[in-house]
């Protein structure tokens, strides 16, 4: 490998070992003269396909060096000296047009943000546009470098993948595509997307790889941010027992959060492109109610809320609360349902426990009230009997106070008993005649 002091700090012993191993993966080519000296070497005539590939190779090289394409074109078609002014003018116009085309191509490359490289598979040398060297962090180079120097700019974690992708294209003479990170001299990391084509020479051997690189750092950062946001949302939804869904019946599509199948107790491979798939585990007693909920909405009230049970493996039940918005077509048919389902099993258990506690309280009050009312009737009766005996005025006042207080307390007890009977659904109505006047 050619020495490269500028990149020496990147060529650590592990990376040197990796480069030595990966260089063996990239096939090397013998020069045409060496192939000609071999005993079995017989140069076949160039076929039309090989000729087309050679032309394609030349055009790709022009793409990598737009500023020199005009000179190469002029060298292919030298103009003989002529005293004819018309011929000289046409030649000058042709050269000017080639220069404008080259300048336009270079401008288009810079405006599009892609650099062009040309890898010679025989010598291992790479030439490219200035933007290519800028993208790999070598803007001060002379627009040429070796294969190993280029590999040294690739992030060690992505190096083997890039080599394997290029090897596959060389083996079949096809296209390659790879996304990888490149290391700048200051340690900064940049994401690049590389795409290209391996071109054959006239004899059918891989001759060069022409490609482009584009800076996709911003896209990768957005993808990473979206991935982290999605993961955070999934964790929050799973912890809260909430799942979101979007069933587009009109376009036969379904989108949901990762825990949607789990909440419904459905296998991950269950198809949910219609309502039947959603309701497979719904409790039979609740199936009709949830099935009708979306269709009972109207243009004025497009939302619905429904609570139902789903049957889990093992016979357990899970309570779900579903709240969604329904969209209808012009003909009034339901074509989209967007909403969320929430695990309300704990809420339902709490409600059931509260209802049981309330019933227990009512039963207790009914029993206690009944037990208190019985002796209270005895107190009132004895006070009545005592009042009928011979008493002085002071004693009679005491008895009247006892009897009045007992009656008041009995009235309160009767009210409590009636309230407990209402809560326990044991209230009985009496038919009593009374005078409106």
């Amino acid at each position: 490998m050619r020495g490269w002091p500028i990149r020496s700090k990147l060529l650590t012993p592990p990376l040197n070992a990796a480069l030595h191993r990966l260089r063996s993966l990239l096939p090397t080519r013998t020069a045409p003269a060496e192939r000609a000296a071999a005993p079995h070497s017989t140069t076949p005539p160039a076929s039309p396909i090989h000729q087309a590939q050679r032309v394609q190779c030349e055009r790709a090289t022009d793409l990598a060096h737009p500023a020199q394409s005009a000179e190469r074109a002029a060298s292919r078609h030298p103009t003989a000296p002529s005293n004819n002014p018309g011929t000289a003018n046409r030649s000058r116009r042709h050269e000017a047009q080639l220069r404008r085309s080259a300048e336009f191509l270079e401008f288009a490359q810079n405006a599009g943000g892609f650099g062009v490289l040309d890898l010679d598979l025989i010598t291992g040398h790479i030439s490219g546009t200035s933007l290519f060297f800028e993208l790999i962090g070598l803007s001060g180079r002379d627009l040429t470098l070796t294969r190993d120097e280029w590999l040294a700019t690739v992030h060690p974690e992505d190096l083997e993948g890039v080599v394997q992708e290029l090897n596959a294209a060389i083996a079949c003479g096809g296209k390659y595509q790879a996304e990888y990170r490149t290391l700048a001299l200051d340690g900064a990391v940049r994401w690049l997307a590389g795409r290209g084509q391996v071109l054959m020479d006239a004899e059918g051997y891989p001759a060069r790889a022409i490609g482009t690189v584009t800076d996709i750092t911003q896209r990768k950062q957005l993808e990473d941010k979206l991935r982290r946001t999605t993961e955070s949302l999934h964790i929050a939804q799973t912890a809260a027992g909430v799942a979101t869904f979007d069933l587009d019946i009109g376009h036969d599509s379904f989108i949901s959060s990762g825990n949607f199948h789990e909440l419904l107790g459905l296998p991950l491979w269950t198809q949910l492109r219609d309502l039947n798939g959603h309701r497979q585990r719904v409790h039979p007693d609740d199936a009709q109610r949830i099935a009708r909920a979306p269709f009972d909405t109207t243009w004025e009230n497009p939302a619905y809320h429904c609570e139902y049970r789903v049957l889990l493996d093992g016979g357990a039940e899970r309570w779900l609360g579903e709240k969604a918005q329904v969209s209808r077509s012009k003909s009034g048919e339901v074509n989209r349902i967007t909403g969320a389902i929430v695990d309300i099993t704990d809420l339902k258990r709490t409600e059931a426990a509260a209802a049981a506690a309330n019933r227990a309280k009512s039963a207790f009050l009914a029993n206690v009230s009944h037990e208190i009312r019985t002796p209270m009737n005895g107190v009132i009766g004895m006070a009545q009997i005592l009042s009928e005996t011979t008493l002085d005025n002071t004693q009679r006042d005491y008895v009247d106070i006892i009897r009045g207080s007992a009656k008041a307390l009995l009235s309160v007890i009767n009210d409590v008993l009636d309230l407990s009977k209402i809560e326990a659904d044991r209230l009985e109505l009496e038919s009593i005649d009374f005078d409106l006047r």
Side-chain angles (χ1 to χ4, degrees):
M1 171 176 161
R2 184 193 303 175
W4 191 11
I6 296 179
R7 302 291 297 188
S8 60
K9 64 178 182 179
L10 294 178
L11 299 180
T12 59
L15 184 55
N16 269 321
L19 287 177
H20 179 73
R21 181 168 60 88
L22 291 173
R23 277 200 303 271
S24 64
L25 298 178
L26 283 172
T28 56
R29 286 280 316 284
T30 57
E34 297 175 358
R35 290 200 304 268
H40 61 278
S41 176
T42 303
T43 303
S47 66
I49 296 179
H50 293 156
Q51 294 176 2
Q53 289 179 334
R54 184 170 60 251
V55 173
Q56 185 180 12
C57 179
E58 294 174 353
R59 291 178 178 176
T61 304
D62 290 343
L63 182 65
H65 307 284
Q68 304 172 10
S69 60
E71 298 178 3
R72 284 194 295 272
S75 64
R76 297 189 190 103
H77 306 284
T79 304
S82 173
N83 295 328
N84 189 340
T87 303
N89 289 336
R90 284 193 299 272
S91 177
R92 284 193 295 269
R93 284 196 301 270
H94 180 65
E95 293 176 0
Q97 184 178 5
L98 290 177
R99 284 195 297 271
R100 286 195 300 270
S101 299
E103 293 171 356
F104 176 78
L105 182 58
E106 186 173 4
F107 171 79
Q109 292 174 9
N110 293 331
F114 60 90
V116 181
L117 74 150
D118 180 358
L119 168 61
D120 191 323
L121 297 177
I122 300 176
T123 64
H125 286 83
I126 298 176
S127 58
T129 61
S130 58
L131 183 56
F132 164 72
F133 286 91
E134 179 181 344
L135 289 175
I136 64 174
L138 299 175
S139 55
R141 296 283 295 188
D142 59 354
L143 305 186
T144 60
L145 77 167
T146 66
R147 177 188 61 190
D148 293 339
E149 290 172 338
W150 169 58
L151 290 176
T153 67
V154 180
H155 195 286
E157 296 179 3
D158 304 332
L159 185 58
E160 188 168 356
V162 172
V163 173
Q164 289 178 350
E165 186 70 24
L166 187 56
N167 263 349
I170 294 174
C172 63
K175 298 180 179 180
Y176 68 89
Q177 180 174 340
E179 294 183 354
Y180 59 93
R181 288 163 292 178
T182 185
L183 294 172
L185 291 174
D186 58 359
V189 177
R190 175 182 288 148
W191 273 97
L192 299 179
R195 296 175 178 82
Q197 171 81 47
V198 173
L199 303 178
M200 305 294 186
D201 60 13
E203 301 174 13
Y205 292 95
R208 57 198 331 116
I210 308 294
T212 63
V213 291
T214 310
D215 188 347
I216 58 171
T217 304
Q218 185 176 8
R219 193 199 80 191
K220 284 292 185 179
Q221 290 173 346
L222 291 176
E223 289 178 353
D224 184 63
K225 183 178 179 180
L226 177 61
R227 178 185 56 79
R228 286 187 276 109
T229 302
T230 302
E231 289 178 354
S232 299
L233 179 61
H234 176 68
I235 293 173
Q237 288 182 333
T238 302
V242 179
T244 55
F245 68 94
D246 183 358
L247 174 61
D248 194 335
I249 302 174
H251 292 86
D252 191 27
S253 68
F254 176 77
I255 303 174
S256 68
S257 57
N259 61 332
F260 186 81
H261 287 74
E262 180 184 356
L263 279 183
L264 286 175
L266 299 172
L268 293 177
W269 58 83
T270 304
Q271 294 294 328
L272 300 177
R273 295 183 181 275
D274 54 42
L275 291 175
N276 293 331
H278 291 222
R279 315 306 184 201
Q280 293 180 23
R281 292 289 188 95
V282 175
H283 194 285
D285 295 341
D286 304 332
Q288 186 65 25
R289 183 171 68 257
I290 185 59
R292 290 301 314 165
F295 300 96
D296 290 340
T297 59
T298 62
W299 290 100
E300 295 77 15
N301 298 302
Y304 70 88
H305 178 261
C306 187
E307 297 178 353
Y308 56 94
R309 292 162 292 176
V310 292
L311 300 176
L312 305 178
D313 294 335
E317 294 182 357
R318 175 181 290 151
W319 274 96
L320 297 178
E322 181 173 320
K323 188 173 184 179
Q325 191 86 4
V326 177
S327 301
R328 296 177 179 271
S329 62
K330 293 182 179 180
S331 60
E333 296 180 353
V334 174
N335 62 357
R336 188 172 185 177
I337 304 175
T338 306
I341 56 175
V342 184
D343 186 347
I344 58 173
T345 305
D346 292 339
L347 176 61
K348 286 295 183 179
R349 289 173 180 171
T350 303
E351 290 178 350
N358 190 53
R359 288 192 297 269
K361 177 203 69 176
S362 300
F364 172 76
L365 289 176
N367 293 332
V368 170
S369 300
H370 178 73
E371 296 298 329
I372 295 176
R373 186 170 59 175
T374 300
M376 190 56 63
N377 287 330
V379 173
I380 295 173
M382 292 307 296
Q384 180 65 31
I385 293 174
L386 184 60
S387 66
E388 295 175 357
T389 63
T390 302
L391 301 173
D392 58 26
N393 292 334
T394 300
Q395 292 173 335
R396 189 170 298 279
D397 289 340
Y398 291 161
V399 171
D400 290 341
I401 291 173
I402 293 174
R403 185 172 57 184
S405 298
K407 288 183 178 180
L409 183 57
L410 182 61
S411 177
V412 173
I413 292 173
N414 287 332
D415 290 342
V416 173
L417 183 59
D418 291 340
L419 179 61
S420 63
K421 286 182 177 181
I422 292 174
E423 292 179 347
D425 296 329
R426 292 167 53 187
L427 180 64
E428 296 178 359
L429 300 179
E430 295 182 0
S431 178
I432 301 175
D433 294 335
F434 64 93
D435 188 357
L436 291 175
R437 294 177 294 179

